[in-house]
Amino acid sequence: MKTEQYRVTGGKKVILKEYPTSAEQSLDKDKVISSLMPENIRKMAGLQEKLYAENTRSLLIVLQAMDAAGKDGVIRHVMTGLNPQGTQVVSFKVPSSEENDHDYLWRIVKALPRRGEIGIFNRSHYEEVLVSRVHDLVRGSQLPPELVTEDIWQKRYRQIRDFERYLTENGTRIIKIYLHVSKQEQRQRLLDRINEPEKNWKFSSGDIQERRQWKKYQDAYEQMLEHTASPDAPWFIVPADNKWFARYLVSQIVLDTLKEMDPKIPELPESEKTMLQECREILEKDE
Ligand code: ATP
Ligand code: MG
């Protein structure tokens, strides 16, 4: 499947209404679930092993979305089949008081994947230009008041771009996924969480408060997408009303990225090869 049409590389205004929230018509759901998705996962696992062996680069996948858009399901489905050693998922919640005692990238830096690893951020530093913007959380925060200027969001976009370029230039490949769910579909999923007892635990009354700010969030997402997408660290606007499609598209995006990275099992230097040869001879003579 082609993924370019969902990719945003920056510099252009983003109007979310113009991006689809539902699956491509031409795709067969049963085929995706029974063969295309497992095939992608199998290929990803092979490339992951090489990335791990290479031990020089890492892949960071940032996931952002409105509530109930399906972040957890994407993580579960895309990560099955990968080697847990070499993969880590970090969920970012409301910052703790220790985290608030630092700049906002402090906790992000600590959670970055090591070389050789694939890291997934379930929410991320982008909350600092989303929830923080919608609820104006910087005012009254520990940030020195004179730094809370009118252009604070523009400054943050720049800081995030600089931060991501720094990471890219030091061996971390970054892709950012926005799960684009429609307001109607979110309503249905939140209702399901209330109506189906086994889903009750997922429901949080706070989700209703956030839903009331839908328009403000969409505006904040549009600005963020426009100002923080770049060719090196693109955003993908993934239609999320059909879970099977969102999961498959994300697997395709991750697979394409790993293919582009083209990790290779390192070749041993000659001296090491000779050493292996010697060891083989010793073992073969052994009982
Ligand atoms: P679920 O789908 O299970 O509800 P979730 O990602 O929404 O998953 P929650 O524990 O419900 O997890 O919510 C985490 C909350 O933390 C979100 O409301 C998010 O906006 C908030 N949050 C994350 N980072 C920040 C931040 N930097 N500043 C303020 N709030 C933040
Ligand atoms: Mg939540």
Side-chain angles (χ1 to χ4, degrees):
M1 185 175 45
K2 295 256 181 292
T3 61
E4 294 96 53
Q5 71 205 87
Y6 305 104
R7 187 175 57 201
V8 179
T9 53
K12 265 206 280 230
K13 208 169 170 52
V14 175
I15 299 166
L16 279 173
K17 283 218 167 68
E18 292 175 358
Y19 285 82
T21 57
S22 50
E24 274 175 39
Q25 295 299 314
S26 57
L27 219 61
D28 179 46
K29 178 179 174 182
D30 291 339
K31 192 170 171 215
V32 165
I33 292 173
S34 64
S35 65
L36 297 176
M37 182 83 182
E39 178 72 358
N40 270 2
I41 300 217
R42 201 181 52 73
K43 289 181 182 157
M44 277 161 60
L47 287 162
Q48 180 203 12
E49 198 178 314
K50 291 183 181 166
L51 187 73
Y52 191 76
E54 199 185 61
N55 201 21
T56 59
R57 292 176 291 171
S58 55
L59 172 61
L60 173 63
I61 304 163
V62 170
L63 260 185
Q64 284 288 158
M66 296 295 287
D67 290 303
K71 287 186 279 112
D72 289 355
V74 162
I75 293 170
R76 218 172 37 244
H77 280 77
V78 174
M79 289 342 248
T80 35
L82 295 187
N83 187 347
Q85 183 177 320
T87 316
Q88 57 156 355
V89 181
V90 187
S91 298
F92 291 97
K93 309 282 183 186
V94 176
S96 66
S97 64
E98 189 194 19
E99 287 166 349
N100 278 328
D101 274 339
H102 296 268
D103 63 278
Y104 69 90
L105 290 176
W106 182 73
R107 65 174 181 165
I108 304 295
V109 171
K110 286 204 302 182
L112 288 169
R114 293 158 190 256
R115 297 190 196 281
E117 285 187 355
I118 299 178
I120 302 190
F121 282 179
N122 179 356
R123 303 186 185 270
S124 64
H125 43 301
Y126 283 101
E127 292 291 324
E128 298 287 340
V129 291
L130 294 166
V131 67
S132 300
R133 183 166 191 176
V134 168
H135 293 286
D136 204 10
L137 298 181
V138 286
R139 224 172 291 278
S141 74
Q142 276 173 270
L143 204 60
E146 66 275 18
L147 296 182
V148 185
T149 50
E150 278 299 308
D151 62 347
I152 183 154
W153 310 114
Q154 295 300 326
K155 273 195 203 148
R156 285 197 167 179
Y157 297 141
R158 180 196 22 88
Q159 289 159 2
I160 290 173
R161 286 198 304 270
D162 289 348
F163 170 60
E164 292 182 355
R165 192 172 52 198
Y166 164 82
L167 293 180
T168 306
E169 289 176 351
N170 284 279
T172 301
R173 179 72 178 248
I174 305 170
I175 47 178
K176 303 173 293 199
I177 311 274
Y178 167 59
L179 296 181
H180 188 26
V181 76
S182 67
K183 201 174 176 194
Q184 300 85 307
E185 178 65 20
Q186 191 207 41
R187 174 175 169 276
Q188 191 52 52
R189 290 186 190 174
L190 292 177
L191 276 175
D192 290 348
R193 288 180 178 185
I194 295 170
N195 292 333
E196 297 171 31
E198 69 279 14
K199 288 189 180 166
N200 282 172
W201 65 274
K202 285 193 199 171
F203 185 77
S204 148
S205 58
D207 294 354
I208 303 294
Q209 304 304 324
E210 296 311 291
R211 181 176 162 82
R212 291 216 175 102
Q213 310 284 342
W214 187 273
K215 175 77 174 68
K216 274 192 168 180
Y217 268 108
Q218 296 293 294
D219 290 348
Y221 268 108
E222 285 181 346
Q223 293 271 315
M224 173 203 87
L225 290 161
E226 176 183 342
H227 294 291
T228 63
S230 70
D232 284 340
W235 273 103
F236 290 85
I237 302 177
V238 169
D241 282 358
N242 308 90
K243 290 180 179 174
W244 62 272
F245 180 79
R247 291 166 185 172
Y248 177 52
L249 180 55
V250 172
S251 76
Q252 191 64 53
I253 292 165
V254 174
L255 176 60
D256 288 352
T257 308
L258 282 168
K259 275 188 188 158
E260 247 179 69
M261 289 173 80
D262 192 21
K264 300 215 165 50
I265 305 257
E267 238 212 282
L268 286 182
E270 280 310 313
S271 59
E272 295 273 324
K273 282 190 192 162
T274 316
M275 196 264 294
L276 282 187
Q277 188 61 32
E278 285 163 13
C279 288
R280 179 198 282 140
E281 280 162 23
I282 292 170
L283 281 170
E284 280 172 354
K285 277 191 211 132
D286 231 355
E287 314 223 310

